[in-house]
Amino acid sequence: MQASSPILFLDTGVGGLSVLGEVRKSLPQAPILFAADYAGQPYGQKTEAQVAARVAGLLGRVTERYRPRLACIACNTASTIALGMVREVLEIPIVGTVPAIKPAAENTRTGVIGLLGTAGTIRQQYVDDLEAKFASGKTLLRHAAPELVGEAERKLRGGTPDRKVLAAALYALSAQDEAMALDQVILGCTHFPLLRKELADVAVHDLGWSPDVQFVDGAAGIARRIAHLLDGETFQRTGPDRAVTTGDLDHFLMLKPVLTTYGIDQIERF
Ligand code: DGL
């Protein structure tokens, strides 16, 4: 393994940054390759077969070209659908991002948990299994909120998220909960933690939720897992960290100011 070999993050867009941000804190010297499959976005509206084929193909090509030491699938949709399959075909360690049902179930006092994700994620058997394993005896309310992906994309390009859209997604969860006992909301799409502040604000001020409701995601746990897997490895940057996209380069370049804050200064088409 070369010291310059990067850690790869793969998502369809800016969502991967919510995971990268946590990994940066524990591994500040690690070279990073951030891959955004804009040509494939949204994964959440695709079939399982489409997502699995796309993720496996793309990871294979990116891995061959850039030789990462580890790949983090920084996308809940791709992870809940294709993690097992991708692990079988790639030789490097693969870390997935799946809805943080375990910590939410540990922290809930009321026993009622909400899950916001893409349509692709919330219907997965993988999520049923996490619920059965970690949240049995609790209530898990699920809602698909693909429109929040676009709101996060807009925010990171300098726009303002639409409070009505955020409120509608949260309301769809609380409307399933007659007693309004929900006290944890899992942000089960990596785009959603980028809207955490706005969601929390809308919940309290526009919907009248208790300020005690917590918005949880798994990024810190993923960062710990990656740091553990790479324990003892050496890192050395031989150039700037890089972000690549399968989509339109000009659209991607609008993210330059944000990517710079994550330490990424080279932006190109893949
Ligand atoms: N960020 C992806 C996730 O975590 C979803 C975005 C998309 O639908 O492409 O599920």
Side-chain angles (χ1 to χ4, degrees):
M1 178 62 55
Q2 289 185 355
S4 61
S5 175
I7 302 174
L8 166 65
F9 291 81
L10 173 72
D11 182 39
T12 58
V14 295
L17 295 175
S18 66
V19 185
L20 171 59
E22 285 299 322
V23 175
R24 277 279 191 219
K25 289 184 200 163
S26 40
L27 296 171
Q29 310 88 318
I32 299 297
L33 171 64
F34 185 80
D37 185 16
Y38 276 105
Q41 192 185 89
Y43 283 176
Q45 306 295 99
K46 292 188 161 46
T47 65
E48 282 72 3
Q50 285 171 325
V51 172
R54 184 145 192 117
V55 171
L58 187 58
L59 268 180
R61 282 181 288 128
V62 172
T63 302
E64 203 176 299
R65 187 176 311 175
Y66 297 103
R67 305 273 167 210
R69 65 181 76 208
L70 177 148
C72 173
I73 304 181
C75 171
N76 288 259
T77 315
S79 299
T80 54
I81 291 175
L83 197 52
M85 183 250 232
V86 167
R87 280 197 174 126
E88 272 170 33
V89 291
L90 289 184
E91 278 166 15
I92 55 172
I94 313 277
V95 176
T97 308
V98 300
I101 292 176
K102 184 168 183 253
E106 284 165 0
N107 292 335
T108 180
R109 291 204 215 124
T110 60
V112 184
I113 302 164
L115 167 61
L116 291 177
T118 66
T121 296
I122 67 162
R123 67 169 180 257
Q124 290 313 309
Q125 177 71 40
Y126 200 116
V127 175
D128 299 345
D129 293 345
L130 289 175
E131 180 180 2
K133 192 163 169 200
F134 299 114
S136 71
K138 316 244 188 299
T139 302
L140 182 72
L141 309 168
R142 307 183 192 193
H143 176 67
E147 61 285 356
L148 298 185
V149 172
E151 296 303 315
E153 291 285 346
R154 185 137 51 94
K155 175 181 169 184
L156 268 65
R157 286 178 177 75
T160 307
D162 185 337
R163 293 181 75 90
K164 287 206 186 70
V165 173
L166 273 50
L170 293 175
Y171 179 75
L173 278 179
S174 57
Q176 299 176 46
D177 172 20
E178 278 171 21
M180 245 327 276
L182 177 142
D183 68 348
Q184 304 281 317
V185 176
I186 302 167
L187 303 174
C189 164
T190 52
H191 279 73
F192 300 174
L194 301 168
L195 298 169
R196 186 195 313 272
K197 205 164 54 67
E198 291 83 355
L199 284 165
D201 191 65
V202 164
V204 173
H205 295 108
D206 299 11
L207 296 173
W209 288 20
S210 158
D212 296 336
V213 174
Q214 295 181 327
F215 292 83
V216 285
D217 70 84
I222 292 162
R224 281 195 297 277
R225 176 86 190 127
I226 292 177
H228 172 73
L229 288 170
L230 300 181
D231 190 30
E233 294 193 10
T234 46
F235 300 104
Q236 189 178 17
R237 285 197 182 79
T238 50
D241 282 337
R242 181 185 283 151
V244 298
T245 183
T246 54
D248 178 65
L249 188 58
D250 288 337
H251 187 243
F252 198 46
L253 282 167
M254 286 171 72
L255 294 169
K256 197 171 183 359
V258 161
L259 290 171
T260 300
T261 67
Y262 286 84
I264 293 171
D265 288 315
Q266 189 171 333
I267 300 176
E268 54 200 58
R269 192 149 200 292
F270 174 69

